[in-house]
Amino acid sequence: MAVTTAEHPPVFTPEQLQSVRRTLTSPRRLKTEVLGGLVVALALIPEAIAFSIIAGVDPRIGLFASFTMAVTIAFVGGRPAMISAATGAIALVIAPLVKSHGVDYFVAAVILAGIFQVILGLAGVAKLMRFIPRSVMVGFVNALAILIFLSQVPELLGVPWLVYPLLALGLVIVFGLPKLTKAVPAPLVAIVVLTLITVLAAVAVPTVGDKGALPDSLPTLFLPNVPLSLDTLQVIFPFALAMAFVGLLESLMTAKLVDDITDTRSPKTREAWGQGVANIVTGFFGGMGGCAMIGQTMINVKASGARTRISTFLAGVFLLILVVALGGLVSLIPMAALVAVMIFVSVATFDWHSIRPRTLKMMPKSETTVMTATVIVTVATHNLAIGVGVGVLVAMVTFARRVAHFVTVHRTVTEVDGGQLATYRVNGELFFASSNDLYTQFDYALDPDHVVIDLHASHLWDASTVAALDAITAKYRHQGKDVRIVGLNDASLLMRERLAGKLGGH
């Protein structure tokens, strides 16, 4: 239950803060959600326009996609307060299709990607998140922070000198105001203050309106004009599949990050198929599709303190109202204000603890290598899916090498019945990385006529190990020596009985 006193407002647990019903009955919490949604909506506008340009489509397609994604995911998504909208990752994946086949095929691919995501979500793809190591997650977060910062650099090049003092003022507000009060989100104050200054002083600096024309009508249903044929499927299939995987990966990683920030858990399976539903809805409204947005999510969760689906829903609603009904006013917002907000998000997102000398000294070198590889590849390719994929691959290789070194073989020779017996005691987990070297750990020519391989302290994990044992026993028998394998546990024994002699070994 929430704790309250006459002097203090009710204090909710992290789980209670996510409750829409409780928030609607708490004016203080509701104000936080409303203002959070408003700030996110303002930050979404230039981003959606920029991503539309990357994809090669009209800015309206990106803006309407951000509206439909945010509103839909607010109802069907699994992670409260997370923002989904048009993203750069999706724009990069889908851009070649727009160039080669046009908008209709592009929208058809968005709808198909949504269908793929629903299928993958229901099939339990979200469970694969458990195989992503913490070091990859840290690298993912740090890479995103760097990409958010780098995406703002073009806004600071070749601009009037007045942009820089405006940016400095914006940074002072977003970093300094929270130390004085959190009653109003600092990003919103920065946007309002800088807009008033540029309008009242008639300062000529780049504004949101310079990014592209804002729509003056509501989105309508859109059915892509493409033939329902195998040829069409062959064209859109690879783009849709790539979009589905990139969108799910970025969304599930962002959801996990928000879980950590809010000290709560969210159903990742629901989030996965919810992303699919949102993309299907977006496609049928002619949108470019999208996924979770780390920058806007951090604005909502960290900078604004929002915790419920209300802020996500209002972000979409406010976005539509701002661009359709208040487009003239929104177009006056200086880009310097939004750049200040995104720089704040970048700094707040980066895991500074992960690069402190003390942390780097304590962490195993393999963990630091994985984190660094994830960051470098993600930043170099501007593709989160590739970066995370490489990070997981590096983590697998380093883990396999580390575990492989844990396998030890101890040889003893004893006198038995007037002869000698060589006993090899194997300790450690036997799989492809460790069992490949196992074959070289035996003295085939020097061993006596009787050999025992004791596997009490080992476990067989794969066919590679069974094949290695087949090769070892075959080598001894070729030398005319008797060899016995003892100590296999039930699972290992069952695997060896099923596969021994059937793998094409010696």
Side-chain angles (χ1 to χ4, degrees), residues 2 37 140 174 209 304 344 389 400 424 485:
F140 164 81
V174 293
S304 303
F344 168 76
Y424 289 87
I485 296 177

Side-chain angles (χ1 to χ4, degrees), residues 401-412 423-431 433-442 452-459 469 472:
R401 289 189 61 187
R402 189 163 64 247
V403 174
H405 292 318
F406 290 159
V407 174
T408 59
V409 179
H410 298 282
R411 176 180 182 267
T412 58
T423 300
Y424 289 87
R425 290 179 173 82
V426 182
N427 293 274
E429 303 300 310
L430 295 174
F431 64 111
S434 55
S435 60
N436 285 339
D437 293 333
L438 188 64
Y439 180 79
T440 64
Q441 303 297 310
F442 298 85
V452 170
I453 301 175
D454 185 354
L455 299 176
H456 277 98
S458 300
H459 182 86
L469 292 176
I472 292 167

Side-chain angles (χ1 to χ4, degrees), residues 49-316:
I49 295 174
F51 297 148
S52 299
I53 294 171
I54 292 173
V57 297
D58 189 287
R60 285 188 288 268
I61 292 179
L63 289 166
F64 287 156
S66 295
F67 159 67
T68 52
M69 285 291 298
V71 169
T72 306
I73 207 69
F75 292 96
V76 300
R79 174 64 258 176
M82 191 166 75
I83 305 298
S84 291
T87 62
I90 299 301
L92 289 170
V93 168
I94 211 77
L97 181 60
V98 180
K99 187 175 181 180
S100 62
H101 287 81
V103 173
D104 286 284
Y105 278 82
F106 160 78
V107 172
V110 170
I111 295 171
L112 182 59
I115 294 172
F116 284 155
Q117 288 178 328
V118 171
I119 295 171
L120 290 169
L122 295 177
V125 70
K127 294 177 182 177
L128 296 177
M129 286 295 295
R130 72 183 68 175
F131 296 106
I132 297 181
R134 179 187 176 277
S135 52
V136 174
M137 188 68 192
V138 173
F140 164 81
V141 170
N142 290 348
L144 277 172
I146 294 171
L147 287 176
I148 291 171
F149 179 82
L150 292 178
S151 68
Q152 306 309 306
V153 173
E155 305 295 338
L156 302 175
L157 301 177
V159 295
W161 69 269
L162 285 171
V163 168
Y164 303 110
L166 286 172
L167 173 64
L169 176 59
L171 291 174
V172 169
I173 294 173
V174 293
F175 282 102
L177 185 61
K179 297 177 182 179
L180 302 176
T181 178
K182 293 184 179 180
V184 180
L188 180 59
V189 175
I191 292 170
V192 172
V193 170
L194 267 63
T195 302
L196 288 174
I197 290 174
T198 55
V199 171
L200 295 177
V203 176
V205 293
T207 64
V208 171
D210 296 329
K211 285 291 183 180
L214 299 179
D216 55 7
S217 62
L218 297 174
T220 57
L221 284 175
F222 178 88
L223 295 177
N225 184 22
V226 297
L228 298 177
S229 65
L230 184 59
D231 289 338
T232 300
L233 183 61
Q234 289 176 335
V235 170
I236 68 175
F237 181 88
F239 293 98
L241 191 62
M243 177 181 165
F245 276 112
V246 169
L248 282 181
L249 182 60
E250 189 164 347
S251 298
L252 293 175
M253 295 282 280
T254 304
K256 189 174 185 301
L257 175 62
V258 178
D259 287 354
D260 294 339
I261 293 172
T262 60
D263 293 324
T264 57
R265 297 181 63 184
S266 59
K268 304 301 185 297
T269 295
R270 176 176 173 179
E271 184 59 44
W273 64 254
Q275 287 289 330
V277 171
N279 273 303
I280 292 171
V281 172
T282 296
F284 280 117
F285 277 94
M288 63 180 283
C291 60
M293 298 189 75
I294 182 73
Q296 276 66 22
T297 298
M298 291 300 100
I299 291 174
N300 196 42
V301 175
K302 264 196 168 183
S304 303
R307 291 292 182 271
T308 76
R309 299 173 187 274
I310 297 174
S311 58
T312 306
F313 172 76
L314 290 179

